[in-house]
Amino acid sequence: MTVQQAAGPDPYFPANGDARYRVHRYELALDYRPGPNRLAGTARINAIAGRAPLPEFQLNLGDFKIGRIRVDARQPHYTHRGGRLRVRPAKPLRAGAAFTVEVHWSGNPKPVASPWGGLGWEELTDGALVASQPIGAPSWYPCNDRPADKASYQISITTPSAYAVVAGGRLLTRTTKASTTTWVYEQSAPTSSYLVGLSIGKYQTVLLGDPGLGGVPQHGHIPSDLLPEFSRDFARQPAMMELFQELFGPYPFDEYAVVVTEEELDVPVEAQGLSLFGANHVDGARGSERLVAHELAHQWFGNSVSIADWRHIWLNEGFAKYAEWLWSERSGGRTAHQHAAAAHRLLSTLPQDLRLADPGRKSMFDDRLYERGGVTVHAVRCALGDIAFFRMLRGWASLHRNGTVTTATFTSHASRFTSEPLDQLFEAWVYGTRLPPMPSAETGIAV
């Protein structure tokens, strides 16, 4: 396992996160009332100071009322402005010291403003969901909001009993008292703050396929009136899971859940062990099946193997895009090479000013990054050949499981699977902006 910490602030979001310490566990106890959209919470955060003494540190938290803060059971000085909770312990923390922060907060959660609209906690007509990528996590809990700082989570949520709560991880207990129910989830795998997923609504729960002995439990949580369409649209997800485990290695978490809300979402959203879809992604005709594959693939690429900072987002999206094409190839649709050629034709008609290795904050979700990322992965496949390519993919997912990576980490890793230098390939596809010629080798899955 590799767990690499980025050395400084994320260049795209320097106000988010604090590189001077790392968190290894969050324990969140929340009470949510959907009608008034009222959230009250307590967070117990276990962390470790970095290589220098820590006279003060920062958490990110939205516009809530702070009830109490303690650092190692002592009252600190703190300020809370502009989404930053600055905490100065009564006594500076020693370099390398373990410490515990306790925060009590309450208020009406709302999305965090961003160039892409509101992110994070979203109040629905009847319930709520969390879609945090990339900076929405502080909309509902205090966190060290940087993708490189991965921690385990226990989340306890109390809601009116009419509502179901779905979170990434394993459901430990569900306890009903009077008119409320408390749901407790455990996510033991290291998780980036933006990947902590949550949905509160009136759902019917179904098992997708039979995992068998040692298989991956897969559940769907959907409004009952969408069950017939869902049953067709997600029927092949167990086959996707089987294929991706064959190609990428074992599924990295204990379980996988998908939630479909009653409302429409612009795009589905991945979280750790969980993906969120809108009602518009369910049509009974498998019209969004490529997105089902895309979100599942993120469990390997983006969630288990995470980026050190947002400059490297193509490592998430390029690989998930390519997984769409691999699923198409295996399930009787167009081959990955045909998909890559179509993407290349599209890219050739668009501005060629995007650099995969550092697209800039404004372009990190540009459609060109997804398409060029997918074609770049295909170019690597063509250069390595299928046997070496899939060995490389499985090694990537295994070696960096639960860790964080950069573009340089990947180029170095891929280069170990061929005797031919890949420098020119990566210089053109990853570090350059001009679109290189389409790779010419026709390939098929052979593992």
Side-chain angles (χ1 to χ4, degrees):
M1 182 183 75
T2 60
V3 180
Q4 304 166 6
Q5 291 290 92
D10 190 309
Y12 290 1
F13 303 100
N16 282 62
D18 189 334
R20 295 171 296 175
Y21 73 97
R22 61 183 177 88
V23 178
H24 65 86
R25 183 166 177 82
Y26 292 86
E27 294 177 354
L28 307 178
L30 310 172
D31 187 290
Y32 180 65
R33 305 298 155 142
N37 186 39
R38 185 74 178 172
L39 179 69
T42 300
R44 183 179 176 86
I45 303 169
N46 297 318
I48 299 173
R51 296 179 180 178
L54 205 58
E56 57 91 25
F57 60 89
Q58 172 185 303
L59 292 162
N60 293 103
L61 180 64
D63 186 18
F64 291 98
K65 178 182 178 181
I66 303 295
R68 188 177 78 167
I69 297 181
R70 294 289 184 269
V71 178
D72 291 335
R74 299 181 68 181
Q75 184 172 340
H77 176 78
Y78 70 89
T79 60
H80 184 211
R81 299 187 187 96
R84 298 192 197 187
L85 181 57
R86 299 182 182 274
V87 181
R88 189 170 74 237
K91 184 178 179 181
L93 299 164
R94 292 179 294 103
F99 63 99
T100 301
V101 186
E102 185 179 308
V103 182
H104 297 241
W105 75 100
S106 61
N108 300 106
K110 61 184 179 182
V112 172
S114 83
W116 309 278
L119 300 172
W121 191 282
E122 183 175 345
E123 182 185 8
L124 303 177
T125 301
D126 194 16
L129 64 80
V130 169
S132 292
Q133 188 179 13
I135 56 169
S139 66
W140 64 290
Y141 74 101
C143 56
N144 190 14
D145 192 31
R146 52 200 304 266
D149 196 12
K150 302 174 71 170
S152 66
Y153 282 78
Q154 185 175 103
I155 305 176
S156 169
I157 306 177
T158 299
T159 61
S161 295
Y163 294 86
V165 174
V166 184
R170 184 164 56 94
L171 178 62
L172 298 182
T173 61
R174 184 178 64 188
T175 307
T176 298
K177 293 182 179 179
S179 61
T180 64
T181 298
T182 299
W183 307 67
V184 181
Y185 283 87
E186 175 74 27
Q187 177 56 269
S188 58
T191 306
S192 300
S193 52
Y194 83 93
L195 288 170
V196 182
L198 178 67
S199 185
I200 299 171
K202 296 175 180 177
Y203 300 125
Q204 181 171 340
T205 299
V206 297
L207 181 67
L208 285 162
D210 181 0
L213 187 63
V216 180
Q218 300 175 64
H219 290 91
H221 307 272
I222 62 273
S224 57
D225 60 314
L226 293 179
L227 182 58
E229 294 83 357
F230 175 88
S231 297
R232 175 170 173 78
D233 292 338
F234 285 78
R236 301 207 290 185
Q237 183 180 282
M240 293 178 191
M241 178 71 78
E242 184 177 343
L243 174 64
F244 291 170
Q245 289 195 98
E246 174 189 338
L247 300 181
F248 310 148
Y251 178 72
F253 309 117
D254 294 332
E255 302 182 11
Y256 182 58
V258 292
V259 172
V260 177
T261 74
E262 287 188 325
E263 301 187 24
E264 295 190 357
L265 300 180
D266 290 340
V267 293
V269 180
E270 78 272 12
Q272 190 125 315
L274 171 69
S275 294
L276 304 169
F277 294 80
N280 52 309
H281 299 124
V282 176
D283 60 7
R286 294 178 178 158
S288 296
E289 189 172 77
R290 71 172 186 86
L291 299 176
V292 177
H294 185 103
E295 303 310 323
L296 176 58
H298 270 312
Q299 303 306 318
W300 285 265
F301 307 116
N303 298 9
S304 175
V305 181
S306 302
I307 51 176
D309 64 61
W310 290 106
R311 290 174 297 179
H312 311 288
I313 187 172
W314 83 274
L315 292 172
N316 296 359
E317 301 303 345
F319 280 81
K321 171 60 70 174
Y322 199 66
E324 296 178 27
W325 301 347
L326 292 173
W327 168 249
S328 171
E329 184 171 294
R330 176 58 67 93
S331 61
R334 288 193 294 173
T335 67
H337 189 80
Q338 290 169 331
H339 278 287
H344 190 274
R345 287 193 295 271
L346 174 63
L347 289 165
S348 70
T349 69
L350 301 173
Q352 296 180 27
D353 58 359
L354 183 138
R355 179 176 290 105
L356 279 188
D358 189 358
R361 188 172 78 168
K362 289 183 179 180
S363 298
M364 58 186 284
F365 296 115
D366 192 307
D367 286 345
R368 292 175 298 162
L369 181 137
Y370 291 65
E371 300 294 337
R372 182 165 177 147
V375 182
T376 298
V377 175
H378 187 68
V380 174
R381 180 181 177 185
C382 291
L384 296 183
D386 275 13
I387 293 176
F389 173 76
F390 287 106
R391 282 181 53 226
M392 183 275 294
L393 272 192
R394 287 189 289 267
W396 177 248
S398 174
L399 181 63
H400 299 288
R401 180 171 177 157
N402 295 332
T404 57
V405 295
T406 65
T407 297
T409 316
F410 175 70
T411 59
S412 174
H413 173 80
S415 296
R416 292 200 291 268
F417 289 81
T418 176
S419 58
E420 301 295 325
L422 298 178
D423 298 20
Q424 289 186 346
L425 184 154
F426 288 126
E427 185 62 34
W429 283 100
V430 177
Y431 295 103
T433 57
R434 185 176 178 83
L435 184 67
M438 173 64 195
S440 59
E442 179 70 72
T443 57
I445 294 179
V447 295

